[in-house]
């Protein structure tokens, strides 16, 4: 649905986005995750035809954002950061205006406006001026506006920023409900939020894509460094191990065990080594691990299987990036 | 151009929910009424002519001050609040946005003019004026207004600060108004150019009731050129 190829955006000497590539399939809910000023908003503004790219191409539903801008715009609903609205208009007349300029035919306009008002829970506020609404409801109007022409693609820049916890949950559920029918691309720098809403996350840092993380029901199921093979976490497991004893010997012995891919010493303190073990899923290797360590005369302090959280995945992706430089 | 009317209607509504429209309307009608009363008084006492020539001049000067107030928010406000991002990512062209907004400011101006129709009405009741020069004068004012408003749209597109937009637009209008004054001081060739550029010089004939196509063409090309600049300016804001 969205194809981004070698996208670069420079503001004078400053490169905001550097040669990024990604594809988004129909019906996916994609999170754009990264620290502030990572290039999220810039990328979104290019996809929405608000600004042109310096280099590279972006296609939405096969249409180029530069050559077929109008076709792209018809297919996109966009909510910019901080949700700018015409504050003097009522919710209803604002949505009517947006429906009109987005080309919703006159006969369907009333219906569409009513539909998005209901979908976004704005029923009691339809005649209220948008400038008099609370932040949470302004956000809903922003979403309603993005939805009003029933676009195939929704692009939401920081949809929950500045909301209170209850509003955040409501808006998240709303966005979640759009998945499937719509292709959603949203940006955030809040990890739990991304893991709750999205089924894939693109981690972007300093204008470059660090990698992507696949999610299912909030669990990390795969991770892919940019330019590397995708690692399927359903096939690989991680075990955290703390052992007192000679580190080199322990690593050698552990590596000899079948099904163990990699053993890494992550930390060493008071003669206790902290190890991270990557192993293939299937048979449980924990009893075997414990047995070998004890037979060797070392002291087993801790043995714990680890599930990768989005936080770990994010840290790993952004750490590699630093090492790579 | 199918979206221009939509944008025009929104702008018109916006004018009348903010105090600007009312202030401009009241100030303009009050001042025009005062100018008219003063001239009418004098004309009846000293057997002056029953025409609106003086009044048209006074109205054009008043417009010089009020036009920037009418146009300042058109694009600057949208840039400040960020609504321009939603507008320009909708399937509308930059030209539709600019034309729709310009048309709204023109409509405001025409409403202001309509409110001053009382003056020629009085003149017709108490005197015996020529109708055609008055129509020509009003036509001239509309053409002049087009030039004023289109320049205002350009300055409004250059900044996100409404005050700055109004100020630049006022200074430029004033500059173009009085630039002809220098035409006798500088060489004859340059002088000709200066007086041709001047917004005021072209208005003189209209106020006398003379309709000359060269002035019509001047105002229309001035307006079209400014609108072209405004469209380019809206586009270029995205290039940086």
């Amino acid at each position: 649905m969205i194809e981004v190829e070698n996208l670069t955006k420079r503001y004078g000497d400053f490169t905001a986005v550097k040669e990024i590539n990604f594809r988004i399939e129909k019906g996916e809910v994609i999170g754009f995750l990264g620290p502030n000023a990572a290039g999220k908003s810039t990328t979104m503004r290019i996809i929405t035809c608000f600004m042109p790219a310096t280099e590279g191409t972006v296609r939405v539903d096969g249409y180029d954002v530069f050559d077929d801008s109008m076709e792209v715009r018809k297919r996109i609903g966009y909510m910019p950061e901080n949700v700018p609205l015409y504050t003097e208009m009522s919710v209803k007349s604002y949505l009517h205006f947006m429906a009109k300029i987005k080309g919703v035919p006159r006969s369907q306009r009333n219906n569409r406006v009513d539909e998005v008002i209901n979908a976004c829970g704005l029923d009691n506020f339809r005649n209220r001026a948008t400038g008099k609404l609370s932040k949470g409801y302004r956000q809903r109007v922003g979403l309603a506006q993005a939805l009003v022409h029933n676009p195939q693609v929704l692009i939401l820049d920081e949809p929950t920023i500045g909301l209170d916890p209850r509003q955040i949950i409501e808006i998240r559920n709303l966005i979640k409900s759009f998945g499937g029918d719509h292709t959603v691309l949203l940006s955030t720098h809040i990890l739990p939020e991304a893991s709750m809403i999205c089924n894939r996350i693109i981690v972007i840092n300093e204008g470059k894509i660090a990698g992507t993380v696949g999610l299912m029901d909030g669990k990390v199921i795969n991770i892919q460094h940019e330019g590397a093979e995708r690692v399927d976490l359903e096939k690989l497991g991680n075990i955290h191990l703390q052992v007192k004893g000679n580190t080199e010997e322990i690593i050698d012995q552990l590596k000899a065990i079948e099904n163990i891919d990699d053993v890494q010493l992550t930390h060493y303190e008071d003669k206790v080594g902290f190890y991270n073990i990557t192993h293939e899923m299937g048979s449980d290797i924990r009893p075997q691990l414990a047995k070998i360590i004890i037979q060797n005369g070392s002291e087993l302090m801790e043995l714990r299987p680890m599930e990768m959280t989005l936080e770990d995945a994010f840290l790993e992706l952004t750490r590699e990036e630093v090492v790579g430089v | 151009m199918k979206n221009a009317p939509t944008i025009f209607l929104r702008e018109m509504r916006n004018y009348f929910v903010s105090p600007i429209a009312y202030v401009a309307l009241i100030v303009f009608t009050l001042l025009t009424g005062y100018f008219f009363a003063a001239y009418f008084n004098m004309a009846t006492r000293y057997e002056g002519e029953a025409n609106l020539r003086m009044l048209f001049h006074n109205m054009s000067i008043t417009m010089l001050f009020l036009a920037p107030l009418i146009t300042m928010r058109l694009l600057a406000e949208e840039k400040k609040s960020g609504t321009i991002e939603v507008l320009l990512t909708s399937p509308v062209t930059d030209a539709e946005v600019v034309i729709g907004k310009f048309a709204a400011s023109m409509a405001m101006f025409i409403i202001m003019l309509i409110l001053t129709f009382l003056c020629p009405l009085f003149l017709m009741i108490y005197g015996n004026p020529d109708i055609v020069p008055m129509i020509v004068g009003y036509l001239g004012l509309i053409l002049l207004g087009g030039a004023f408003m289109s320049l205002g749209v350009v300055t409004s597109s250059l900044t996100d600060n409404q005050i700055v937009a109004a100020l630049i637009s006022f200074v430029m209008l004033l500059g173009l108004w009085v630039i002809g004054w220098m035409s006798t001081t500088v060489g004859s060739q340059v002088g000709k150019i200066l007086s041709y550029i001047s917004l005021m010089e072209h208005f003189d004939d209209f106020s006398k009731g003379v309709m000359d196509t060269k002035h019509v063409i001047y105002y229309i090309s001035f307006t079209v050129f400014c609108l072209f600049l405004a469209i380019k300016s809206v586009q270029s804001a995205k290039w940086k």
Side-chain angles (χ1 to χ4, degrees):
Chain A
M1 192 48 112
I2 303 176
E3 300 157 77
V4 175
E5 276 171 30
N6 292 318
L7 182 69
T8 299
K9 177 72 188 178
R10 282 187 220 100
Y11 301 98
D13 288 339
F14 175 70
T15 307
V17 174
K18 200 177 173 191
E19 287 170 22
I20 65 171
N21 290 284
F22 62 86
R23 283 175 68 97
I24 298 174
E25 304 302 331
K26 200 166 189 284
E28 278 192 294
V29 180
I30 300 291
F32 236 8
L33 189 64
N36 294 328
K40 299 177 299 227
S41 292
T42 303
T43 311
M44 289 181 147
R45 283 175 164 178
I46 294 169
I47 299 174
T48 54
C49 311
F50 184 62
M51 44 164 76
T54 313
E55 278 162 41
T57 56
V58 177
R59 276 188 299 274
V60 176
D61 200 19
Y63 292 100
D64 188 275
V65 290
F66 197 76
D67 298 329
D68 289 308
S69 173
M70 287 297 151
E71 290 302 317
V72 172
R73 295 181 198 194
K74 280 179 198 161
R75 285 163 173 79
I76 287 184
Y78 175 42
M79 180 170 102
E81 203 175 344
N82 300 326
V83 200
L85 302 170
Y86 295 115
T87 48
E88 80 286 350
M89 295 176 103
S90 73
V91 170
K92 201 172 146 196
S93 58
Y94 173 67
L95 292 175
H96 252 280
F97 169 73
M98 291 311 293
K100 224 156 135 190
I101 63 169
K102 287 177 173 189
V104 178
R106 181 191 291 270
S107 57
Q108 295 168 26
R109 227 174 273 149
N110 277 326
N111 279 339
R112 276 308 298 167
V113 169
D114 281 341
E115 269 173 50
V116 293
I117 281 178
N118 286 332
C120 298
L122 288 162
D123 231 350
N124 298 326
F125 300 94
R126 55 175 71 214
N127 293 318
R128 182 89 61 98
T130 63
K132 297 223 160 69
L133 292 173
S134 69
K135 183 100 177 88
Y137 279 96
R138 277 216 297 279
Q139 218 89 1
R140 286 161 185 259
V141 178
L143 278 175
Q145 164 275 124
L147 280 167
V148 77
H149 57 310
N150 201 13
Q152 299 172 29
V153 179
L154 272 177
I155 296 190
L156 314 170
D157 200 352
E158 303 274 5
T160 59
I161 201 163
L163 299 183
D164 69 39
R166 218 188 60 149
Q167 293 170 325
I168 289 180
I169 291 167
E170 286 167 356
I171 295 286
R172 277 178 191 164
N173 288 337
L174 208 54
I175 296 171
K176 236 177 167 172
S177 69
F178 301 150
D181 291 344
H182 304 270
T183 306
V184 185
L185 174 63
L186 62 95
S187 75
T188 179
H189 54 256
I190 305 161
L191 289 162
E193 175 165 303
S195 68
M196 255 179 259
I197 310 175
C198 308
N199 44 36
R200 193 154 63 95
I201 281 163
I202 297 171
V203 178
I204 181 165
N205 193 18
E206 290 174 355
K208 283 183 261 179
I209 289 184
T212 58
V213 180
L215 290 161
M216 192 183 278
D217 299 325
K219 277 187 192 161
V220 177
I221 52 170
N222 61 55
I223 178 167
Q224 182 177 23
H225 285 276
E226 186 63 4
E229 285 280 303
R230 187 161 82 184
V231 180
D232 225 323
L233 296 177
E234 282 171 322
K235 293 186 188 129
L236 282 180
N238 263 306
I239 287 176
H240 173 79
L241 190 68
Q242 291 179 28
V243 183
K244 208 173 191 176
N246 186 312
T247 55
E248 276 170 34
E249 263 176 44
I250 290 168
I251 289 175
D252 282 344
Q253 280 161 355
L254 293 182
K255 272 187 174 168
I257 301 175
E258 206 182 345
N259 289 342
I260 285 190
D261 270 16
D262 196 18
V263 180
Q264 272 181 334
L265 184 68
T266 53
H267 188 66
Y268 189 77
E269 196 181 304
D270 283 341
K271 292 180 187 164
V272 179
F274 290 63
Y275 304 87
N276 187 12
I277 297 169
T278 317
H279 64 93
E280 279 164 35
M281 287 295 219
S283 58
D284 200 338
I285 60 163
R286 282 176 294 178
Q288 207 181 344
L289 263 179
K291 209 158 104 188
I292 287 178
I293 289 163
I294 289 163
Q295 278 173 354
N296 184 42
S298 308
E299 291 171 47
L300 177 63
M301 314 295 283
E302 191 178 342
L303 191 160
R304 175 160 53 92
M306 294 225 301
E307 217 164 55
M308 192 177 233
T309 61
L310 182 58
E311 211 164 352
D312 301 326
F314 179 76
L315 285 176
E316 186 174 330
L317 287 173
T318 45
R319 183 175 54 226
E320 276 306 294
E321 193 64 18
V322 175
V323 175
V325 173
Chain B
M1 275 302 134
K2 72 175 170 51
N3 288 311
T6 314
I7 287 163
F8 165 79
L9 287 176
R10 202 202 74 77
E11 291 299 334
M12 285 312 283
R13 195 212 304 247
N14 195 335
Y15 271 128
F16 286 97
V17 292
S18 73
I20 285 183
Y22 301 103
V23 171
L25 284 171
I26 290 169
V27 169
F28 190 66
T29 22
L30 262 181
L31 284 175
T32 307
Y34 175 77
F35 293 140
F36 177 70
Y39 176 75
F40 198 65
N41 208 347
M42 197 183 73
T44 46
R45 207 165 292 178
Y46 302 106
E47 295 184 358
E49 292 172 48
N51 65 33
L52 292 176
R53 193 176 162 194
M54 281 300 291
L55 188 69
F56 286 136
H57 264 288
N58 292 334
M59 280 161 88
S60 65
I61 302 280
T62 314
M63 275 314 294
L64 204 60
F65 291 90
L66 290 180
L69 291 178
I70 295 173
T71 52
M72 64 180 186
R73 41 156 292 278
L74 287 175
L75 284 150
E77 188 182 44
E78 296 229 27
K79 286 177 119 181
K80 184 95 179 180
S81 70
T83 46
I84 194 113
E85 202 167 335
V86 180
L87 188 62
L88 294 183
T89 53
S90 302
V92 295
T93 62
D94 302 333
E96 285 172 334
V97 172
V98 168
I99 304 278
K101 284 173 183 280
F102 166 73
S105 66
M106 271 317 275
M108 255 309 287
F109 176 56
I110 289 170
I111 294 172
M112 286 162 74
L113 286 184
I114 289 173
L115 290 181
T116 67
F117 281 180
L118 270 181
C119 302
L121 201 69
F122 265 111
L123 211 57
M124 285 191 305
I125 295 171
Y126 294 102
N128 194 17
D130 268 344
I131 306 288
V132 177
M134 295 199 296
I135 296 173
V136 171
Y138 268 105
L139 217 74
L141 275 178
I142 289 175
L143 287 168
L144 183 74
F148 283 6
M149 298 304 163
S150 61
L151 189 78
V153 176
V154 177
T155 58
S156 183
S157 75
L158 297 174
T159 167
D160 60 8
N161 186 317
Q162 295 188 36
I163 310 284
V164 171
L167 224 95
I168 296 175
S169 143
F170 174 66
V171 168
M172 286 180 77
L173 286 176
L174 194 63
L176 285 168
W177 193 252
V178 300
I179 200 166
W181 292 356
M182 277 293 172
S183 55
T184 46
T185 337
V186 294
S188 67
Q189 284 305 24
V190 184
K192 263 186 195 162
I193 296 173
L194 287 188
S195 65
Y196 184 76
I197 297 173
S198 167
L199 282 165
M200 181 173 64
E201 302 279 328
H202 292 275
F203 186 64
D204 215 34
D205 276 351
F206 283 109
S207 67
K208 286 181 201 153
V210 180
M211 180 113 145
D212 190 335
T213 30
K214 105 177 165 200
H215 303 315
V216 176
I217 288 171
Y218 167 81
Y219 283 125
I220 290 180
S221 42
F222 186 99
T223 306
V224 170
F225 178 66
C226 281
L227 291 178
F228 171 78
L229 282 185
I231 293 167
K232 287 294 150 194
S233 161
V234 169
Q235 277 170 2
S236 71
K238 308 187 232 167
W239 295 342
K240 51 175 199 248

